[in-house]
Amino acid sequence: MYAPSSFPSPFFCSYPLQDVGAVNSTTSLVFLFIFYGLYSALTKGVEKALVADLATSGAKGTALGFYSMVTGIGLFPASLLTGWLWETFGAETSFYLNGVIAIFASVLLFKILPSKKEEFIN
């Protein structure tokens, strides 16, 4: 079950994306991608568990399907924007902007979820 006090800070959620733009060696890039892979493996299940916890018992499948649909639809324009930024302004700019967007999304998540806190305490 979701416990608001155990959720990571917004800055932790965006940490892997912020450092990719500053990498200047192949070894550092490999270690950073390993770290990002571990980060992704540890958070994808938590995201789906949060969606399932927020959904009513009869709509868990619908909520997970909607979450997957919105994520999939959002990945296409995000990839186009990142590719355009990379080609136009360089890799550093695209990764820093994605890090800022991740921080913004995390802050929004924290703003939205506390209003539901009472439901999870009981």
Side-chain angles (χ1 to χ4, degrees):
M1 191 114 256
Y2 166 72
S5 61
S6 67
F7 202 72
S9 75
F11 300 105
F12 174 77
C13 295
S14 64
Y15 180 73
L17 288 177
Q18 290 179 338
D19 288 335
V20 174
V23 169
N24 56 9
S25 73
T26 304
T27 306
S28 298
L29 185 64
V30 168
F31 282 116
L32 193 59
F33 271 97
I34 289 170
F35 174 70
Y36 184 68
L38 290 171
Y39 163 81
S40 182
L42 293 172
T43 58
K44 289 294 179 187
V46 175
E47 291 172 7
K48 290 181 181 180
L50 178 61
V51 170
D53 283 347
L54 291 174
T56 61
S57 61
K60 288 187 188 293
T62 303
L64 287 169
F66 185 74
Y67 165 77
S68 295
M69 179 189 73
V70 169
T71 302
I73 290 171
L75 284 173
F76 182 66
S79 298
L80 288 176
L81 175 64
T82 300
W84 177 78
L85 286 170
W86 187 304
E87 290 293 319
T88 307
F89 301 106
E92 189 175 86
T93 302
S94 66
F95 282 109
Y96 282 136
L97 178 64
N98 284 317
V100 169
I101 291 171
I103 289 172
F104 179 71
S106 298
V107 170
L108 280 178
L109 182 67
F110 277 101
K111 291 284 188 188
I112 292 170
L113 287 182
S115 64
K116 304 270 186 189
K117 188 187 304 186
E118 295 79 26
E119 295 177 27
F120 296 107
I121 292 174
N122 297 328

